[in-house]
Amino acid sequence: MTPGAALSFGSFTLVPAERLLMRGDERLRIGSRALDILIVLVSRAGEIVSKDELVSQVWRNMFVEENNLRVHITSLRKILGDGPEAQQYISNIPNRGYSFVAPVTRKESPTRADGQQPTIARLPLPRLANRIIGREAVLDQLEGQLPEQRLLTLVGPGGIGKTTVALALAQRLDDGYSDGTAFVDFSGIATGALITELIATAAGLVLASTDPLAELANKLSHRSMLLVLDCCEHLIDEVAAIAEELITRTRHVTILATSREPLRVAPEWVLRLPPLDCPGPDEKLDAARALDFAAVQLFVERASASLGGYSLSDADAPVVADICRRLDGIVLAIELAAGRVDMFGIAGVLESLRSNFDILTRGRRTALPRHQTLRATMEWSFSLLSPAQQAALAQLSVFNQDFTLAAARAVVSGESGGDVEECIIDLAAKSLVVVDRNAYPVRYRLLDMTRAYAAEKFSVAVSREDASRRHAVHYRSLLECAAPHEQDAGWVDGFARDVGNLRAALDWCFSPGGDAAAGVAMTVAAIPLWYHLSLVDECLLRVRQALDWLERQPDADQQSLMRLHAALGFPHMRAISGRPGGAQAWTRSFEIAQKVDDVDFQLRALWALWVDRTNGGEPRAALERAEAFCALSERSADVSDQLIGERMKARALHLLGDQPAAESHVRRMLDAYRPPSNGSHLARFQYDQCITARITLARLLWLRGKTEAALREIDDMVSAALAAGHNLTLCHALSDAACPVSLMAGDLARAERYTDMLHRRTHDHALDVWHAYAECFEGDILIRTGDAATGVTLVGEALDRLDRAGFYLYHTVFQSILASGLARIGQELEAVALLDDALARCRSSGEAWYCPELLHQKGKILAEQASRPTEGRLLLQRAIEMARDQGALALEARSVASLVTLNKLVSAV
């Protein structure tokens, strides 16, 4: 067949060289495979072409089911109008194949403009080495867009899988373009002069004129073709100009481009390819749940290929999830990491990634050179940057979390503010900086791999030390400027996302080449932030670090010392190894505050020392601290400090057993207290003061016999604490009111719900003491519901931990719970001994509020013993009298009920 020849049959004209089928003057849309089949059959009209031969010519080097061939033959017959009533073109010869049976005539192509249009074979699409994972939704979206959007650019960082998605999409759409798909890889060329020629070659065209772009556009003008232009970023301007020209001058050509930045031409539609889905850091994972995430699926499949078989275990699931998160869901990085499992093991890969990304250096030999190692991918991107952009990217690596444009301006040197903004915009366009436009102000970040690579690119002109210093200065200034407003609504929201950068700045400050004095100032300024975010352990670590340096200085700043010691004492309800007691730290802070006459910090210290004595089970000493607080609060600039003193006295009086006086003080506080609009009391006194007062009120309501009101109070209190979003306040409300009041009221369903909440909250935030409380409450529920043996073990172990921590608040209550369990499993003597110990502790400390219940419990045990019923009756009578004296109607009623039951039993005998 001569080049450009046209084959006519019926009303149709077929031009194989131009992949064109026409009915009269109308060009018909026909799938690429269907057209290939038609060309083979028409060119051999009258011959029988076997099915195997058809498949081998149309689907070269591919295995295809026979059903695929039948589908395309059916499609062809519909296009040609083939049928029983119409002219027949294609005949099925049973067991032999197909034959084109209509008469065919040959003539020159009607579309040739110059009488000669040489062509060459189109280059085939590259084959995908592996199946596509996690991109089905993206491919579906793109498949729906391409008919409408003729120029579509897939944008994303190196290694995210742009080429793979483009090839998969081209395979899906190939049949929708009668002239098929042409794939052009620009990664191997360094000059834009070759772009037009490469496109023409991929499309099966030969260019001969002095204006190749115009000739290419002209030859494509009557074609229906998908052009895939891969790896455009290093030729971005030239590719953009050519793509715009081709889209403008053709009607049925669609362009799918891949690049690390958009082409930025008028008809372009951009899709930024997202990373693969990864499990979040708080996900509770087993193997089945982990495999719901595409990143984990990819890792497991590639690891299996590397190892000759691998199945994800429940034990490995969280480790693999962590690997995928650290690699930001980047496809290439996950594949490279999975390929190193054979050498390092799963845990070894994760451990290596914690320090660097050097293990990601062995890819498939058949991969594109820029994708064979992670470093090659990064070097390719870095080489395309201008010197200013390279310097900016290196300096941005000092941010270990996202950052604002203002922070970038403060850190990046050698550029004016406007130039830095332009660099950030360009780096984001090139997919080297990730943009979060949902934040206000807009925030930016580097992927972990990009950060690790960029950190190596500091030079003599751009020093890492200088960038780190500017980074630390910026965040110190940011925190210090915010200090006067640190309790304003929304303050935490504005700084919570900068915690990572705060850590990086402090690490540099206390490094050998850093600025420790700046680190101390930054630590002091950050203390409210850490407590607002409930980052207690981190605060302690940083405060100790600052104190270790500051206390060695001859002219140590006293205000800083005072604040650091106060911060060290804040979480003193917890047992933390290697740390002096909270009372010691607060006493030191109080002494410094007196020395510099700082009333605010004297009040904070007195409050903390009151808490210390309360938690230590010494309500008499606690009342003394509360009274000292009340006296000093008259000098305070904050008049509500006097009301906080009322709350403190109410708590102490409640524990001492004076319930009417306690109720009077706490109601006085709640009636008059209005929390500051800026929330300053949360920072000064650790908890929401209104909710803390309601804790005491709920306990008093139950003791005073108002059970329903007490239960409503704890429900409302927990809801308020949840709404406030402050975990310490919530755990305080749960441990001191919601759980114990529910149990004392006998509402086990409510108690179980709140105990479970306390258990989870304290476990997640490592709040040791309250976690022990949760276990005591859980043990109480087990004892009451018939599993006394397990409950006794749980409460006993929790009590031991509380003893070791020196935490004795409610110790007597937990001894009472343990005693009830011992009595149920037949260990009455041990139970009585435990109750005697609790009563002795109460006499020593003055903690009287629970004494009636301890006497009641002991009296019941003794009354059930044949030899001691009288002694038991006397103890019950003492319990009734003591509860009545305290105004504790609920405890009085319990003892009265037990005494009535005992008297009935005695009368019956």
Tab-separated table of all heavy atoms in Angstrom, residues 133-161:
chain	number	residue	atom	x	y	z
A	133	ILE	N	-1.526	1.215	42.816
A	133	ILE	CA	-2.128	1.103	44.142
A	133	ILE	C	-2.516	2.497	44.628
A	133	ILE	O	-1.711	3.429	44.589
A	133	ILE	CB	-1.149	0.463	45.140
A	133	ILE	CG1	-0.869	-0.994	44.760
A	133	ILE	CG2	-1.694	0.541	46.578
A	133	ILE	CD1	0.160	-1.679	45.621
A	134	GLY	N	-3.758	2.621	45.059
A	134	GLY	CA	-4.196	3.842	45.721
A	134	GLY	C	-4.497	5.005	44.804
A	134	GLY	O	-4.651	6.132	45.264
A	135	ARG	N	-4.590	4.762	43.488
A	135	ARG	CA	-4.812	5.881	42.567
A	135	ARG	C	-6.132	5.749	41.803
A	135	ARG	O	-6.368	6.486	40.852
A	135	ARG	CB	-3.663	5.971	41.561
A	135	ARG	CG	-2.319	6.308	42.186
A	135	ARG	CD	-2.380	7.582	42.982
A	135	ARG	NE	-1.061	8.086	43.350
A	135	ARG	CZ	-0.861	9.049	44.222
A	135	ARG	NH1	-1.903	9.619	44.834
A	135	ARG	NH2	0.367	9.459	44.500
A	136	GLU	N	-6.984	4.813	42.198
A	136	GLU	CA	-8.216	4.583	41.453
A	136	GLU	C	-9.093	5.832	41.431
A	136	GLU	O	-9.640	6.208	40.372
A	136	GLU	CB	-8.999	3.408	42.058
A	136	GLU	CG	-8.343	2.042	41.870
A	136	GLU	CD	-7.193	1.818	42.856
A	136	GLU	OE1	-7.015	2.657	43.781
A	136	GLU	OE2	-6.480	0.816	42.701
A	137	ALA	N	-9.230	6.496	42.580
A	137	ALA	CA	-10.095	7.677	42.641
A	137	ALA	C	-9.542	8.796	41.763
A	137	ALA	O	-10.298	9.492	41.066
A	137	ALA	CB	-10.229	8.152	44.087
A	138	VAL	N	-8.223	8.981	41.788
A	138	VAL	CA	-7.602	10.021	40.960
A	138	VAL	C	-7.795	9.705	39.483
A	138	VAL	O	-8.134	10.581	38.679
A	138	VAL	CB	-6.102	10.151	41.302
A	138	VAL	CG1	-5.387	11.033	40.281
A	138	VAL	CG2	-5.920	10.723	42.696
A	139	LEU	N	-7.581	8.439	39.114
A	139	LEU	CA	-7.753	8.053	37.717
A	139	LEU	C	-9.197	8.238	37.262
A	139	LEU	O	-9.449	8.702	36.144
A	139	LEU	CB	-7.318	6.601	37.529
A	139	LEU	CG	-5.805	6.351	37.563
A	139	LEU	CD1	-5.504	4.862	37.658
A	139	LEU	CD2	-5.138	6.951	36.334
A	140	ASP	N	-10.145	7.908	38.120
A	140	ASP	CA	-11.556	8.115	37.775
A	140	ASP	C	-11.840	9.606	37.559
A	140	ASP	O	-12.549	9.994	36.619
A	140	ASP	CB	-12.463	7.566	38.877
A	140	ASP	CG	-12.454	6.040	38.928
A	140	ASP	OD1	-11.997	5.411	37.951
A	140	ASP	OD2	-12.877	5.488	39.964
A	141	GLN	N	-11.281	10.428	38.443
A	141	GLN	CA	-11.492	11.874	38.320
A	141	GLN	C	-10.895	12.407	37.015
A	141	GLN	O	-11.532	13.163	36.279
A	141	GLN	CB	-10.848	12.601	39.507
A	141	GLN	CG	-10.990	14.114	39.459
A	141	GLN	CD	-10.213	14.804	40.570
A	141	GLN	OE1	-9.556	14.153	41.383
A	141	GLN	NE2	-10.271	16.119	40.611
A	142	LEU	N	-9.666	11.980	36.721
A	142	LEU	CA	-8.995	12.445	35.513
A	142	LEU	C	-9.705	11.949	34.258
A	142	LEU	O	-9.836	12.676	33.267
A	142	LEU	CB	-7.538	11.979	35.512
A	142	LEU	CG	-6.640	12.632	36.569
A	142	LEU	CD1	-5.296	11.920	36.623
A	142	LEU	CD2	-6.442	14.107	36.259
A	143	GLU	N	-10.170	10.718	34.287
A	143	GLU	CA	-10.868	10.154	33.134
A	143	GLU	C	-12.121	10.956	32.812
A	143	GLU	O	-12.489	11.136	31.650
A	143	GLU	CB	-11.219	8.691	33.402
A	143	GLU	CG	-11.724	7.954	32.187
A	143	GLU	CD	-11.916	6.469	32.460
A	143	GLU	OE1	-11.680	6.021	33.616
A	143	GLU	OE2	-12.310	5.753	31.524
A	144	GLY	N	-12.749	11.462	33.867
A	144	GLY	CA	-13.930	12.291	33.658
A	144	GLY	C	-13.601	13.699	33.200
A	144	GLY	O	-14.423	14.371	32.573
A	145	GLN	N	-12.380	14.181	33.504
A	145	GLN	CA	-12.001	15.545	33.160
A	145	GLN	C	-11.486	15.680	31.735
A	145	GLN	O	-11.738	16.685	31.068
A	145	GLN	CB	-10.930	16.050	34.135
A	145	GLN	CG	-11.438	16.351	35.529
A	145	GLN	CD	-12.335	17.583	35.567
A	145	GLN	OE1	-12.296	18.411	34.665
A	145	GLN	NE2	-13.151	17.681	36.602
A	146	LEU	N	-10.728	14.663	31.253
A	146	LEU	CA	-10.026	14.838	29.982
A	146	LEU	C	-10.934	15.129	28.780
A	146	LEU	O	-10.530	15.889	27.902
A	146	LEU	CB	-9.131	13.632	29.695
A	146	LEU	CG	-7.724	13.742	30.290
A	146	LEU	CD1	-6.877	12.551	29.886
A	146	LEU	CD2	-7.031	15.020	29.853
A	147	PRO	N	-12.115	14.562	28.677
A	147	PRO	CA	-12.940	14.956	27.530
A	147	PRO	C	-13.252	16.458	27.524
A	147	PRO	O	-13.452	17.049	26.473
A	147	PRO	CB	-14.215	14.125	27.709
A	147	PRO	CG	-13.766	12.941	28.507
A	147	PRO	CD	-12.733	13.489	29.453
A	148	GLU	N	-13.311	17.051	28.740
A	148	GLU	CA	-13.648	18.471	28.835
A	148	GLU	C	-12.401	19.355	28.829
A	148	GLU	O	-12.394	20.437	28.264
A	148	GLU	CB	-14.456	18.732	30.116
A	148	GLU	CG	-15.726	17.926	30.231
A	148	GLU	CD	-16.711	18.268	29.116
A	148	GLU	OE1	-16.724	19.435	28.683
A	148	GLU	OE2	-17.439	17.355	28.679
A	149	GLN	N	-11.337	18.906	29.485
A	149	GLN	CA	-10.108	19.683	29.613
A	149	GLN	C	-9.056	19.120	28.656
A	149	GLN	O	-8.528	18.036	28.866
A	149	GLN	CB	-9.587	19.613	31.058
A	149	GLN	CG	-10.604	19.964	32.120
A	149	GLN	CD	-11.038	21.417	32.044
A	149	GLN	OE1	-10.328	22.263	31.512
A	149	GLN	NE2	-12.206	21.712	32.600
A	150	ARG	N	-8.728	19.878	27.627
A	150	ARG	CA	-7.810	19.356	26.610
A	150	ARG	C	-6.346	19.511	26.987
A	150	ARG	O	-5.487	18.906	26.346
A	150	ARG	CB	-8.089	20.041	25.266
A	150	ARG	CG	-9.425	19.627	24.645
A	150	ARG	CD	-9.650	20.297	23.307
A	150	ARG	NE	-8.540	20.032	22.400
A	150	ARG	CZ	-8.032	20.943	21.566
A	150	ARG	NH1	-8.528	22.170	21.533
A	150	ARG	NH2	-7.030	20.621	20.771
A	151	LEU	N	-6.045	20.327	27.992
A	151	LEU	CA	-4.667	20.440	28.484
A	151	LEU	C	-4.699	20.261	29.991
A	151	LEU	O	-5.177	21.130	30.731
A	151	LEU	CB	-4.054	21.790	28.127
A	151	LEU	CG	-2.667	22.083	28.715
A	151	LEU	CD1	-1.671	20.986	28.358
A	151	LEU	CD2	-2.155	23.442	28.250
A	152	LEU	N	-4.246	19.118	30.454
A	152	LEU	CA	-4.303	18.783	31.876
A	152	LEU	C	-2.890	18.465	32.358
A	152	LEU	O	-2.178	17.679	31.722
A	152	LEU	CB	-5.226	17.590	32.091
A	152	LEU	CG	-5.612	17.236	33.528
A	152	LEU	CD1	-6.971	16.529	33.532
A	152	LEU	CD2	-4.589	16.345	34.194
A	153	THR	N	-2.485	19.092	33.460
A	153	THR	CA	-1.135	18.874	33.988
A	153	THR	C	-1.209	18.213	35.352
A	153	THR	O	-1.870	18.726	36.271
A	153	THR	CB	-0.360	20.197	34.107
A	153	THR	OG1	-0.377	20.866	32.840
A	153	THR	CG2	1.084	19.944	34.511
A	154	LEU	N	-0.541	17.069	35.488
A	154	LEU	CA	-0.376	16.417	36.781
A	154	LEU	C	0.848	17.017	37.444
A	154	LEU	O	1.954	16.951	36.896
A	154	LEU	CB	-0.161	14.917	36.606
A	154	LEU	CG	-1.348	14.065	36.198
A	154	LEU	CD1	-0.906	12.616	36.035
A	154	LEU	CD2	-2.448	14.154	37.242
A	155	VAL	N	0.664	17.597	38.632
A	155	VAL	CA	1.750	18.297	39.328
A	155	VAL	C	1.990	17.634	40.669
A	155	VAL	O	1.044	17.224	41.359
A	155	VAL	CB	1.398	19.789	39.510
A	155	VAL	CG1	2.468	20.494	40.337
A	155	VAL	CG2	1.257	20.468	38.153
A	156	GLY	N	3.250	17.523	41.062
A	156	GLY	CA	3.585	16.956	42.372
A	156	GLY	C	5.083	16.825	42.520
A	156	GLY	O	5.835	16.960	41.545
A	157	PRO	N	5.552	16.571	43.737
A	157	PRO	CA	6.994	16.416	43.955
A	157	PRO	C	7.531	15.165	43.288
A	157	PRO	O	6.777	14.258	42.915
A	157	PRO	CB	7.104	16.324	45.487
A	157	PRO	CG	5.772	15.825	45.934
A	157	PRO	CD	4.780	16.400	44.966
A	158	GLY	N	8.842	15.117	43.134
A	158	GLY	CA	9.472	13.952	42.529
A	158	GLY	C	9.173	12.687	43.298
A	158	GLY	O	9.219	12.665	44.523
A	159	GLY	N	8.859	11.629	42.558
A	159	GLY	CA	8.631	10.336	43.186
A	159	GLY	C	7.226	10.106	43.676
A	159	GLY	O	6.935	9.056	44.253
A	160	ILE	N	6.318	11.052	43.455
A	160	ILE	CA	4.960	10.871	43.980
A	160	ILE	C	4.111	9.994	43.075
A	160	ILE	O	3.031	9.542	43.451
A	160	ILE	CB	4.271	12.234	44.202
A	160	ILE	CG1	3.126	12.089	45.227
A	160	ILE	CG2	3.754	12.827	42.899
A	160	ILE	CD1	2.596	13.388	45.758
A	161	GLY	N	4.613	9.722	41.837
A	161	GLY	CA	3.913	8.794	40.953
A	161	GLY	C	3.200	9.450	39.788
A	161	GLY	O	2.255	8.869	39.244
